[in-house]
Amino acid sequence: MVFPLLLPGAAVGCGAEVPVPPDARGFVYQLQGYQDGGLDALAAAPFRYAVIDLARDGGDGYFSAEEVGALKKSGKRVLAYFEIGSIESFRPDYAAIRDDRADLLLNEWPSWPGEHFVRYWDQRWWELGVRPRVDRALAAGFDGVYLDTPLAYEEIDLALVPGIGREELGRRMVELIARISAHGKRTDADFLVYPQNSPELLHHHGYLEAVDGIGVEELFFRATDEPCAADYCAQNLAETRKLRAAGKTVLAVDYAVRPENVERACRAYREEGFEGYVSVRELDRISAPCR
């Protein structure tokens, strides 16, 4: 979920087009506040993966193939972030959907005002909200996609979709992820697909075959500096471990700023074999990599 108001980014200098240093680790996750509106600071940062929005401004200021290519030349695998189970009101395609396809929009997400879950299984959503984004990522040379809001299957108001239960909604979400994977890999066999959160979807047929990894938020610390101690935290970790055991890369992000909590999360990543990143919920800066 990207904030529509961009905030200042961290000042990390320009990088040369050289491979990532041998000690590079983890991933960097930035969705807004890009320094000078570009990707030079990210290129200079010592990470293996970079997750960035398709657009520098959250709107239609899309990153070019030249910019993405320069970031890739720093040695990183670069994934394009977008949402597949919801749409934010500040996205450029929202107005057309609201005005001409309003029945695609479902309940608003209370945690993110202005963002609505969608009928993600509808062919019109594929044509309007998903395929164009995948095609844009392919055209810009991204290594793959980072797909947010698979958890829509848990958050949709069932009263708005009579006759469809959670199990069926989960199955339909996996079908969409598999369709994205097949579409991307037809153009680029090495195209990477990383859904974010909802690791339990691995129990649906076709999920493991469709994904190359997963991004998971708040396995250890919720925003901000709050230890993740609820039952669902342990459940998410258990399911994420299954994905790691199946050979999938795990990009884990936690939200903490206290040094002792940052170190604790980083230690957990090392122990679990995850690619990790500790930052702030706004994802508007480049935080330090785990040591």
Side-chain angles (χ1 to χ4, degrees), residues 63-85:
F63 287 115
S64 68
E66 181 180 7
E67 291 173 299
V68 174
L71 182 55
K72 291 171 61 175
K73 285 181 181 179
S74 72
K76 298 174 183 64
R77 290 187 169 184
V78 185
L79 306 178
Y81 170 99
F82 59 88
E83 305 203 356
I84 60 172

Side-chain angles (χ1 to χ4, degrees), residues 6-179:
L6 302 185
L7 304 174
V12 181
C14 273
E17 295 182 349
V18 296
V20 169
D23 61 348
R25 64 190 66 194
F27 78 113
V28 60
Y29 189 4
Q30 186 175 10
L31 299 183
Q32 59 182 340
Y34 302 102
Q35 183 182 330
D36 300 323
L39 301 175
D40 287 344
L42 284 166
F47 296 94
R48 292 191 182 107
Y49 296 81
V51 177
I52 62 172
D53 198 281
L54 276 170
R56 74 191 77 250
D57 58 359
D60 57 4
Y62 298 107
F63 287 115
S64 68
E66 181 180 7
E67 291 173 299
V68 174
L71 182 55
K72 291 171 61 175
K73 285 181 181 179
S74 72
K76 298 174 183 64
R77 290 187 169 184
V78 185
L79 306 178
Y81 170 99
F82 59 88
E83 305 203 356
I84 60 172
S86 62
I87 187 168
E88 311 103 315
S89 59
F90 58 85
R91 293 293 183 180
D93 44 2
Y94 174 80
I97 291 173
R98 179 199 59 202
D99 296 341
D100 301 326
R101 301 288 189 273
D103 61 311
L104 287 175
L105 303 176
L106 297 171
N107 50 298
E108 187 175 23
W109 196 351
S111 300
W112 300 92
E115 181 166 350
H116 287 79
F117 296 109
V118 298
R119 298 179 185 273
Y120 53 80
W121 56 93
D122 192 300
Q123 175 65 17
R124 295 170 301 162
W125 175 244
W126 170 257
E127 297 291 348
L128 295 170
V130 179
R131 187 176 67 181
R133 297 179 181 184
V134 179
D135 288 344
R136 187 174 295 278
L138 286 162
F142 282 90
D143 290 300
V145 288
Y146 189 91
L147 309 172
D148 201 5
T149 57
L151 58 70
Y153 91 93
E154 295 182 284
E155 299 291 340
I156 285 174
D157 182 352
L158 293 180
L160 299 176
V161 289
I164 306 177
R166 295 291 175 209
E167 182 72 14
E168 176 63 15
L169 286 171
R171 185 186 68 79
R172 293 184 184 190
M173 178 55 73
V174 170
E175 286 183 347
L176 176 58
I177 293 169
R179 188 176 188 181

